[in-house]
Each structure stands twice: as C-alpha cells, then as structure tokens.
C-alpha cells in the first residue's frame, strides 16, 4: 500500500530520549601529509583502551512533523613498548546529527520517518614515540548534509523493530558517510523501553593533505524514556 501522512490528531509535542551503549570495534587510517596513523581494534580491545564514551539519541514529534538528534563521543588511548622504545596513541571521535522531516503510515502500525539535516564531525588522533623522534597529531572538523530513513515496525504486543539508515556528504563536501542500525525494542512500561541491536558507521574524508577512512561497528543496548 502507498504511504499516507500520519494523522495529526495529537497536536501536542511528544518525545523520547535514548541513552545507549555502543560496543564498537574501530578500524581505519588517518593521514596528514606523509604522517599516518592506522588502527584496527576489536570490541575487547576497545573496552580495554576506552577512556570515555557517551551516546544519546532524541526524537520529538508533533503530528507528522519529526525532529531527530544523535550525539556520539568516544576516546581511546593505549601505551606500550615497541621495537623503537615506548609509544602511546589516542583517538577521539565526536559527531552530532540534527535532522527534521515527516512521518508516514505504511500500514499495519508501521511508521516511516523521512528526514534531512546536518551532521558535524570532529576526529582527533595523536601518536608519540619519543626515542624514534615521532610525534604526530592529525585532526579533522567538518559538517556534511545528511538524509535519513527511520522505520518502526511492530512485531507483537510490547515488541517492535526499528531500522535506521542515513547517507551523508552527498557530493557536497570532501566526505562521504553512511550508517545503518537495527534494534529490537521491548516496552517495559508505558514510558520505558529497552532495546538491543547492531550499528555500523562508515566515514571517508579527504581534504587537501588530510584524509581519514574508518568505521565503527558493533552491538548496541539502550534504554528509552518517553514523555
């Protein structure tokens, strides 16, 4: 059946905030000029080296109008011995997505949110090996347009599946990004939901002498508060 705009009977704002953990393994290469940092970490290594992390998603709706936001921040570091002496490294990744769009009904209780907006990025890395005379710290900050689709499909009473896909960059800037997530959500109370799923994020950025290609991928678990 064709999509129809969700009825706008309830004109008051409703919303929800999700706090979640993301056990993301990290892989990629960060280069500035002739300086390069490569990293490839499994989930166990990320947890071992993690200095801090914060992940949150918010959604507000009034009738068919939907406003969406997503914040991610993580920082990892490691120290150890190498053939050229002691070395240390650190990588920090931050992103903020803000988007808005319209909700459609797809039948059977399924809703489809079509969104467009902006995502800002900040990627910083640092590596030092004093005895080898090595000290590099490439970084990149940029904003790209993003389009997204979010589908909420009921499975059974108290259960639903949420599928999310977005594309960023879109040929406007020097980068291309995409991410996808699938989560199963359980309604524990009228205003409290528990979720478990998987999320993958890819980023490819190149601007002058600075380039970064990497990904974050792994399981997610969250708690959602509806108001």
């Amino acid at each position: 059946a064709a999509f129809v705009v969700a009825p706008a009977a309830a004109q008051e704002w409703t919303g929800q905030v999700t706090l979640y953990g993301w056990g993301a393994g990290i892989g990629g290469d960060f280069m500035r000029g002739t300086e390069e940092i490569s990293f490839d970490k499994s989930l166990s290594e990320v947890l071992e080296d993690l200095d801090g992390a914060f992940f949150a998603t918010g959604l507000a709706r009034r009738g068919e109008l939907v406003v969406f936001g997503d914040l991610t921040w993580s920082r990892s570091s490691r120290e150890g011995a190498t053939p050229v002496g002691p070395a240390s490294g650190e990588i920090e990744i931050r992103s903020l997505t803000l988007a808005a769009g319209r909700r459609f009904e797809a039948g059977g209780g399924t809703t489809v949110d079509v969104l467009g907006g902006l995502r800002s990025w900040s990627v910083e890395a640092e590596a030092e090996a004093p005895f080898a005379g090595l000290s590099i710290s490439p970084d990149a900050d940029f904003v790209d347009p993003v389009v997204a689709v979010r589908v909420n499909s009921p499975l059974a009473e108290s259960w639903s599946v949420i599928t999310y896909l977005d594309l960023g960059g879109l040929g406007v800037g020097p980068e291309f990004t995409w991410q996808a997530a699938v989560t199963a959500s359980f309604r524990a109370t009228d205003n409290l939901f528990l979720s478990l799923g998987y999320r993958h994020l890819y980023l490819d950025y190149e601007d002058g002498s600075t380039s970064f290609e990497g990904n974050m991928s792994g399981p997610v678990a969250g708690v959602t508060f509806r108001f």
Side-chain angles (χ1 to χ4, degrees):
F3 291 162
V4 296
V5 176
Q11 291 300 315
E12 295 185 358
W13 283 100
T14 61
Q16 62 187 52
V17 174
T18 302
L19 303 178
Y20 63 96
W22 184 13
I26 302 173
D29 299 288
F30 203 158
M31 177 177 290
R32 168 162 288 180
T34 59
E35 303 171 340
E36 181 177 4
I37 296 177
S38 296
F39 50 94
D40 185 6
K41 293 186 175 184
S42 66
L43 171 58
S44 61
E45 291 174 317
V46 169
L47 294 177
E48 179 183 348
D49 302 338
L50 188 67
D51 295 330
F54 181 78
F55 308 105
T57 295
L59 185 144
R61 182 171 74 92
R62 184 179 184 183
E64 69 269 18
L65 173 64
V66 177
V67 180
F68 173 80
D70 181 69
L71 173 66
T72 69
W73 172 77
S74 67
R75 182 174 63 205
S76 299
S77 61
R78 171 173 287 193
E79 297 182 356
T82 71
V84 293
S88 62
E90 179 179 284
I91 183 165
E92 181 174 340
I93 299 176
R94 300 187 298 272
S95 73
L96 174 63
T97 303
L98 296 174
R102 174 171 281 190
R103 172 162 294 184
F104 300 87
E105 296 282 359
T110 296
T111 60
V112 180
D113 300 333
V114 180
L115 308 164
L118 297 172
R119 179 159 52 219
S120 66
W121 287 94
S122 177
V123 185
E124 300 177 3
E126 183 177 353
E128 293 184 349
F131 289 105
L134 173 67
S135 180
I136 59 177
S137 53
D139 62 85
D141 297 277
F142 53 92
V143 177
D144 57 16
V146 61
V147 294
V149 176
R150 181 180 181 273
V151 181
N152 191 337
S153 305
L155 285 180
E157 186 177 0
S158 300
W159 285 94
S160 62
V161 172
I162 298 174
T163 305
Y164 177 86
L165 173 67
D166 73 33
L167 300 174
L170 307 175
V172 175
E175 66 279 347
F176 173 73
T177 68
W178 71 269
Q179 68 172 319
V182 178
T183 58
S185 178
F186 172 71
R187 186 169 190 164
T189 70
D190 287 345
N191 299 309
L192 179 67
F193 296 77
L194 306 176
S195 58
L196 184 67
Y198 196 88
R199 180 179 181 183
H200 177 84
L201 168 66
Y202 171 81
L203 168 61
D204 186 2
Y205 172 84
E206 185 173 357
D207 187 16
S209 62
T210 300
S211 65
F212 175 81
E213 182 177 5
N215 61 80
M216 299 175 67
S217 186
V220 293
V223 56
T224 298
F225 305 92
R226 177 176 290 180
F227 52 88

